[in-house]
């Protein structure tokens, strides 16, 4: 069965510092990977998808199939980036997401 | 477009009772999924419906059931409630096109006493 692991429950950085939220997955096939974000008092929302190879709010994530990782990175963290971040995996054969347990990012002033 | 709407926002039930939660997807979205969110287990997939048919099901007991109506609105039912069913239940809708992504509602907070 597929699995998504986010090793850090909490991550704290200072404003302007680089940030990397780790995500590892276990699945032998070719999954689709996502990052979802939940800001305080807001609903869970899509941040980015690996297929789009896009940068959203300065965040990027590269799928590394060799290391089965999909780490989320931003070179200069902002206070408004403080939120709960979830990595998620979808098998191409179905329409469900398997989520990691999430990482709470706090960006200090 | 209006987002995914879930009602009610909060529910308090007693053990042994049953409960029905409702979800209205984004207009044009035909797929509706349900997830349970708890502090210990995180987000867990319950089931997914498309065109009134359940296409995927998670590892939950049969007490958890759902359905989807012809207008894509969905309901989830939990019978014989247990204390462990206390959770935030999230509904999400999606298209089935190339740009697949889930759009979540605000959830229904169920407390079982």
């Amino acid at each position: 069965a597929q699995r998504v692991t986010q090793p850090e429950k909490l991550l704290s950085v200072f404003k302007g510092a680089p940030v990397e939220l780790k995500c590892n997955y276990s699945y032998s096939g070719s999954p689709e990977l996502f990052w979802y974000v939940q800001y305080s008092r807001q609903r869970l929302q899509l941040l980015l998808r690996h297929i789009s190879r896009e940068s959203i709010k300065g965040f990027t994530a590269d799928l590394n199939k060799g290391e089965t990782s999909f780490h989320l990175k931003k070179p200069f963290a902002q206070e408004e980036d403080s939120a709960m971040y979830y990595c998620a995996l979808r098998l191409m054969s179905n329409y469900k997401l398997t989520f990691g347990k999430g990482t709470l990012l706090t960006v200090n002033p | 477009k209006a987002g995914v709407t879930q009602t009610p926002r909060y529910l308090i039930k007693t053990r042994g009772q049953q409960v029905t939660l409702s979800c209205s997807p984004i207009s044009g979205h035909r797929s509706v999924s349900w997830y349970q969110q708890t502090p210990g287990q995180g987000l867990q997939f319950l089931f997914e419906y498309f065109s009134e048919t359940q296409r995927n099901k998670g590892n939950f007991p049969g007490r958890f059931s759902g359905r989807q109506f012809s207008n894509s609105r969905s309901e989830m039912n939990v019978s014989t409630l247990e204390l462990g069913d206390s959770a935030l239940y999230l509904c999400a809708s999606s298209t089935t096109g190339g740009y697949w992504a889930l759009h979540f509602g605000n959830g229904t907070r169920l407390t079982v006493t």
Side-chain angles (χ1 to χ4, degrees), chain A residues 5-23:
Chain A
T5 303
Q6 293 179 251
E8 305 135 329
K9 289 183 70 171
L10 304 169
L11 184 61
S12 183
V13 301
F14 285 102
K15 177 183 172 181
V19 63
E20 180 180 52
L21 292 91
K22 290 183 168 44
C23 172

Side-chain angles (χ1 to χ4, degrees), chain A residues 17-68:
Chain A
V19 63
E20 180 180 52
L21 292 91
K22 290 183 168 44
C23 172
N24 291 91
Y25 67 91
S26 62
Y27 180 64
S28 57
S30 294
E32 189 173 1
L33 276 296
F34 302 81
W35 277 99
Y36 277 79
V37 61
Q38 188 165 28
Y39 301 102
S40 179
R41 289 185 293 279
Q42 293 188 27
R43 63 185 67 193
L44 192 59
Q45 58 187 281
L46 176 69
L47 181 62
L48 53 79
R49 322 156 65 217
H50 92 268
I51 283 181
S52 302
R53 302 185 66 80
E54 57 204 342
S55 173
I56 303 293
K57 299 185 179 183
F59 284 98
T60 58
D62 289 318
L63 179 61
N64 185 322
K65 290 186 178 180
E67 296 182 0
T68 59

Side-chain angles (χ1 to χ4, degrees), chain B residues 25-89:
Chain B
I26 290 173
S27 177
H29 286 191
R30 295 169 64 191
S31 170
V32 174
S33 304
W34 289 89
Y35 288 78
Q36 182 195 64
Q37 187 175 28
T38 58
Q41 298 299 318
L43 283 150
Q44 292 187 288
F45 172 77
L46 281 154
F47 27 66
E48 185 255 354
Y49 287 88
F50 178 80
S51 291
E52 303 178 66
T53 300
Q54 187 183 89
R55 292 195 299 189
N56 296 282
K57 189 176 190 312
N59 297 322
F60 279 82
R63 301 185 295 107
F64 291 81
S65 63
R67 59 177 175 167
Q68 186 182 33
F69 302 95
S70 58
N71 61 358
S72 294
R73 192 177 71 84
S74 177
E75 287 182 348
M76 191 190 99
N77 185 274
V78 187
S79 63
T80 320
L81 283 165
E82 301 177 359
L83 294 178
D85 297 334
S86 293
L88 181 67
Y89 289 89

